[in-house]
Amino acid sequence: MSKTLVAYFSASGTTASVAGKLAQAANADLHEITPAIPYTSADLNWMDKCSRSSIEMNDCGSRPALAETDLDVGRYNTVFLGFPIWWYIAPTIVNSFLESHDFSGKKIVLFATSGGSGFGHAVNYLRTSVEKSTTITEGKVFLSNVTEKDLKCWIKKI
């Protein structure tokens, strides 16, 4: 039984690639956060103010439904939580994931992928979705070409 989990949401596959490498580097279990209704290319068009992602991100109370909620997070002490940066925060489905599980007393280390922005307000925004006894730490924003060796070095630093 692993005491570490890598959970991630990936819209285009970039975060999935980093999460897979991180799970290998950390010898951790891997869990994909999947929406009940998958995102289409049109849903992800951030330039369209009527796209699904734009509408969700403009509503801080938006909580897209998850395809699966039966993950046993009680098995884990540390959770690496990954996502793409959308509008300088995590996609609201990440809040859905956090609010669907009890992370009391757990350590959550965030990692993200982005074409150029940092974490923005992601940490503070996600803290509202967990219990006060949960520690959320800003980790690092990675490019898709990060290596497992680089991730092992990062893990040792945190």
Side-chain angles (χ1 to χ4, degrees):
M1 173 177 78
S2 174
K3 295 288 185 185
T4 304
L5 173 69
V6 174
Y8 70 94
F9 167 71
S10 185
S12 66
T14 302
T15 307
S17 173
V18 173
K21 294 174 195 175
L22 180 57
Q24 288 290 325
N27 193 28
D29 292 342
L30 186 63
H31 174 77
E32 182 177 8
I33 301 166
T34 55
I37 301 170
Y39 288 91
T40 66
S41 294
D43 290 336
L44 299 172
N45 182 358
W46 60 272
M47 295 174 58
D48 178 359
K49 292 182 185 201
C50 295
S51 72
R52 177 177 165 195
S53 61
S54 295
I55 291 168
E56 288 174 0
M57 297 309 291
N58 282 316
D59 176 4
C60 62
S62 172
R63 297 296 184 265
L66 300 168
E68 177 185 348
T69 59
D70 62 351
L71 175 69
D72 179 10
V73 297
R75 297 176 40 204
Y76 305 101
N77 298 323
T78 303
V79 177
F80 288 96
L81 179 58
F83 48 86
I85 299 291
W86 287 2
W87 289 264
Y88 301 100
I89 58 175
T92 56
I93 194 165
V94 177
N95 295 84
S96 298
F97 173 74
L98 290 172
E99 293 169 8
S100 295
H101 303 286
D102 182 1
F103 289 95
S104 298
K106 308 277 183 217
K107 178 180 179 182
I108 298 175
V109 180
L110 303 178
F111 71 96
T113 56
S114 174
S117 65
F119 271 102
H121 302 288
V123 177
N124 291 333
Y125 182 68
L126 293 174
R127 278 193 180 120
T128 65
S129 292
V130 295
E131 299 78 11
K132 290 184 188 227
S133 66
T134 305
T135 301
I136 294 186
T137 303
E138 181 178 310
K140 190 170 180 177
V141 177
F142 294 103
L143 297 174
S144 61
N145 63 351
V146 66
T147 67
E148 189 177 325
K149 180 180 177 183
D150 293 336
L151 290 165
K152 283 182 180 181
C153 289
W154 174 65
I155 291 167
K156 287 179 183 178
K157 292 178 185 176
I158 54 174

